[in-house]
Amino acid sequence: MSTPSLKKPAFKELGLSQPLLSALAELGYETPTPIQEQSIPILLNGDDILAQAQTGTGKTAAFALPILSHLNIKSNKPQALVIAPTRELAIQVSEAFQSYARNIKGFHVTPIYGGQDYNIQLRALKRGAQVIVGTPGRVMDHLRRKTLDLSTLKTIVLDEADEMLKMGFIDDIEWILEQIPKEHQTALFSATLPLSIQKIAKRYLNKPQKVHIKPKEMTVNAIEQFYTLAANNQKLDVLTRLLEVEDIQAAIIFTRTKNSSAELSERLQARGHAAAALNGDMSQSLREKVITKLKKGSLDIIVATDVAARGIDVERVSHVINYDIPHDTESYIHRIGRTGRAGRKGKAILLITHREKRLLDDIEHAVHTSIKQLAPPSLQEMSEKRSKELAEKVINIIDKSKRLKPHYKMVEDIMQHSGCEAQDVAAALAYLIQQSNPLPENEIEVARTNGRHDRKPAPKRRSKSFGESRGRGNDRKKPGRKTAQPSNARKTRVKKKEPVKKRARRK
Ligand code: AMP
């Protein structure tokens, strides 16, 4: 498979201020994502924008960084308003502003959303904030009560506009848009652009620049592709289980930032894996050393960022695990192409949160394949894998029986003293060995991270445990895998999924 080029500009070429550039370096961001690369110059230029972007593409920084670049920090009156469909997103966006503005003294952002005590929000609004992030209902309430004054507003962002449309917020948004000063910049971000969003854009946006990152398409036949749903706080657990259960020769695990590649590799080392980080903070010679170790087998896992892993060609990489979903389909194709080298088979597993599922649809279209869901390994599966490995080790030792001579006496002594059979002694020894590495206590629940908005609470969904979901998946035979006794858990880990339908081209 040929590797697509990943030449990207640096953040400093986009015209962002120095405090922002240092914050991005501290956060470990290496390069702008495609949506950032295109949107930041437009917004810095003061133009309106109509951007088609999913969660996970880096869209928050695409609007937050230009807003922060333009703020008058001496005033604490609202200068930017971001409207988001759910309280979770509002909080997430506020936190993103806060972290990008870590080196801007006097910056304040206030989230206002339904479900939170008004007094907390009133106090925060009174104290003053340059950026307000709110859900539509609550923003309307504050405007009506005159506890939010938008007369100084310069920029308004409609984040996830299609979600707001689905939730019936469009009238509220139009009402809010009527309340703000005539002179302002508008940024509309939406995963899809249905007619009603286009109508809003036509009515309220002033000669908007359109941004849509067209997915690069490519077929990647030698690579089996899967995704596993995991909430952010479950990812490490899911990953360590996958590393235990999958037949991995060597793996490349991808993270979004330099910082998380370093952190994750340390955590894996602490769990006994021969792992190392590979990121843009490391010198070229250090990076080459790491890759040589992976080639020679003294390392089995590298935790890499996109930039550092560019062009790696190591035949023994059997797995690519996307710990963080890439920001665009081109990066996905590049990442998974690190396995399936030299005519071998490879396996790619993508960990995603519920919110990132739309990006998965884009990826499926780009690779012309339906990516199958893989349930996180169950306790039964882990236990079977451990038993199988122990059995292999035992058989191996029996084959080299010379080493066992001194131990026969010990077994005979135990049998004599206890009156037990040899089988009982062997089982007790196996129990002791397995006790030294106990299985985790609980099954992992399938992640559900749907947000709730400030009007109707999201319908309660019962989360499925793996035990419940098992049995629905289709059978799957893994090429080249020797299994004396087929495992139930293994048979049902892959879940059925609809084939990818041809979608209408987006405008
Ligand atoms: P978003 O699409 O805004 O929800 O962003 C998805 C994730 O990507 C967030 O965790 C961000 O912190 C992260 N992120 C955004 N831009 C970059 C970048 N240029 N490099 C690395 N990570 C990023």
Side-chain angles (χ1 to χ4, degrees):
M1 195 192 84
S2 74
T3 302
S5 102
L6 274 184
K7 182 103 191 69
K8 288 179 177 176
F11 274 111
K12 62 174 183 286
E13 289 164 42
L14 298 179
L16 295 167
S17 65
Q18 195 50 49
L20 293 176
L21 293 177
S22 48
L24 294 171
E26 285 159 27
L27 288 168
Y29 288 14
E30 287 182 328
T31 49
T33 68
I35 194 78
Q36 291 164 2
E37 191 186 323
Q38 295 204 24
S39 308
I40 291 173
I42 295 172
L43 288 169
L44 281 178
N45 200 34
D47 292 331
D48 282 6
I49 193 169
L50 176 59
Q52 199 173 336
Q54 331 273 19
T55 294
T57 53
K59 67 181 168 61
T60 316
F63 60 76
L65 296 172
I67 287 175
L68 288 169
S69 275
H70 277 165
L71 282 186
N72 171 11
I73 215 69
K74 288 192 187 120
S75 158
N76 63 357
K77 297 246 162 66
Q79 295 160 47
L81 169 68
V82 181
I83 306 187
T86 65
R87 74 182 79 163
E88 280 76 10
L89 186 61
I91 293 169
Q92 206 176 299
V93 170
S94 299
E95 286 171 354
F97 267 99
Q98 202 76 64
S99 71
Y100 299 139
R102 53 174 59 196
N103 298 324
I104 304 177
K105 256 204 170 146
F107 170 75
H108 296 288
V109 55
T110 296
I112 50 175
Y113 49 85
Q116 192 192 33
D117 185 0
Y118 270 96
N119 286 325
I120 299 174
Q121 295 175 5
L122 290 175
R123 274 200 299 273
L125 289 171
K126 254 197 187 146
R127 267 198 308 270
Q130 295 91 356
V131 177
I132 309 289
V133 185
T135 49
R138 197 48 80 95
V139 170
M140 272 177 87
D141 282 352
H142 281 288
L143 284 172
R144 283 209 184 100
R145 292 169 178 224
K146 305 217 181 304
T147 44
L148 174 63
D149 173 11
L150 294 181
S151 60
T152 47
L153 199 77
K154 287 194 203 132
T155 304
I156 185 161
V157 179
L158 305 178
D159 193 11
E160 299 197 356
D162 54 349
E163 283 299 313
M164 296 204 269
L165 176 84
K166 271 193 220 151
M167 291 175 167
F169 285 139
I170 274 311
D171 291 346
D172 299 3
I173 287 164
E174 292 201 47
W175 187 87
I176 295 168
L177 285 168
E178 303 287 347
Q179 313 302 310
I180 59 176
K182 281 236 146 24
E183 277 290 306
H184 69 262
Q185 178 184 40
T186 309
L188 191 157
F189 282 76
S190 191
T192 56
L193 292 184
L195 217 61
S196 38
I197 298 284
Q198 291 178 40
K199 269 192 199 156
I200 296 255
K202 211 167 174 191
R203 182 147 175 219
Y204 293 100
L205 270 59
N206 179 19
K207 297 191 197 120
Q209 306 262 2
K210 290 189 182 143
V211 170
H212 176 211
I213 312 301
K214 278 224 176 93
K216 280 249 160 55
E217 299 190 6
M218 193 175 266
T219 40
V220 268
N221 295 329
I223 304 161
E224 278 191 294
Q225 298 170 65
F226 299 91
Y227 76 91
T228 298
L229 275 178
N232 282 322
N233 62 0
Q234 297 176 326
K235 276 188 183 177
L236 183 62
D237 195 8
V238 171
L239 174 68
T240 44
R241 289 182 187 209
L242 283 170
L243 292 177
E244 181 163 344
V245 164
E246 290 288 324
D247 285 333
I248 292 177
Q249 205 188 353
I252 302 183
I253 299 172
F254 281 93
T255 59
R256 273 191 198 117
T257 64
K258 295 184 267 191
N259 299 1
S260 43
S261 92
E263 270 164 34
L264 185 59
S265 83
E266 275 170 25
R267 291 181 127 166
L268 293 178
Q269 284 163 13
R271 283 163 172 75
H273 292 285
L278 187 80
N279 62 46
D281 273 349
M282 295 158 60
S283 67
Q284 190 56 35
S285 69
L286 197 55
R287 287 196 225 170
E288 278 163 17
K289 263 189 200 154
V290 168
I291 294 168
T292 309
K293 280 185 177 173
L294 187 73
K295 272 188 187 154
K296 294 199 167 145
S298 54
L299 266 180
D300 292 330
I301 297 171
I302 59 176
V303 186
T305 55
D306 289 304
V307 171
R310 213 175 273 172
I312 292 184
D313 189 359
V314 178
E315 277 180 36
R316 58 186 287 272
V317 173
S318 58
H319 285 66
V320 163
I321 301 180
N322 285 293
Y323 189 75
D324 292 324
I325 192 168
H327 292 108
D328 56 308
T329 55
E330 193 174 340
S331 302
Y332 176 82
I333 291 167
H334 174 83
R335 286 180 179 189
I336 69 167
R338 300 311 97 212
T339 180
R341 312 293 296 183
R344 294 189 183 198
K345 286 260 173 209
K347 188 165 179 178
I349 303 172
L350 170 65
L351 301 192
I352 56 163
T353 65
H354 245 278
R355 292 188 58 83
E356 292 163 342
K357 274 191 100 177
R358 272 206 169 132
L359 210 50
L360 175 70
D361 292 345
D362 277 359
I363 290 173
E364 286 188 322
H365 273 266
V367 294
H368 303 293
T369 311
S370 162
I371 300 179
K372 285 166 264 168
Q373 187 176 358
L374 185 69
S378 64
L379 295 179
Q380 184 190 342
E381 202 171 350
M382 289 170 75
S383 156
E384 282 175 5
K385 172 88 180 194
R386 287 183 185 188
S387 302
K388 194 180 143 208
E389 275 176 3
L390 182 61
E392 275 166 14
K393 276 190 197 155
V394 169
I395 291 167
N396 216 1
I397 293 177
I398 294 172
D399 286 348
K400 297 172 186 142
S401 57
K402 266 187 213 152
R403 278 202 234 155
L404 291 181
K405 266 193 184 151
H407 300 277
Y408 282 123
K409 166 122 181 50
M410 184 187 86
V411 174
E412 277 160 16
D413 285 351
I414 297 174
M415 286 166 67
Q416 245 176 20
H417 277 100
S418 63
C420 293
E421 298 289 321
Q423 225 177 6
D424 300 321
V425 179
L429 290 173
Y431 171 79
L432 281 178
I433 289 169
Q434 291 191 326
Q435 234 191 358
S436 63
N437 183 18
L439 283 171
E441 286 189 355
N442 299 313
E443 296 287 2
I444 300 172
E445 293 274 308
V446 175
R448 289 222 178 271
T449 54
N450 281 355
R452 280 189 294 157
H453 54 85
D454 64 351
R455 246 194 221 153
K456 348 165 192 129
K460 274 207 172 146
R461 294 191 224 196
R462 204 162 66 91
S463 59
K464 264 186 253 156
S465 74
F466 293 121
E468 283 176 279
S469 63
R470 284 178 49 212
R472 274 194 217 158
N474 58 355
D475 202 336
R476 177 186 55 148
K477 209 167 173 207
K478 232 185 125 184
R481 187 185 285 248
K482 281 181 261 158
T483 36
Q485 287 172 336
S487 121
N488 261 348
R490 170 59 61 180
K491 271 200 286 183
T492 54
R493 261 186 70 208
V494 179
K495 297 182 172 181
K496 264 188 191 157
K497 197 160 171 270
E498 290 289 309
V500 196
K501 291 187 197 103
K502 264 257 174 278
R503 277 194 311 192
R505 271 229 168 276
R506 288 198 193 114
K507 258 182 75 181

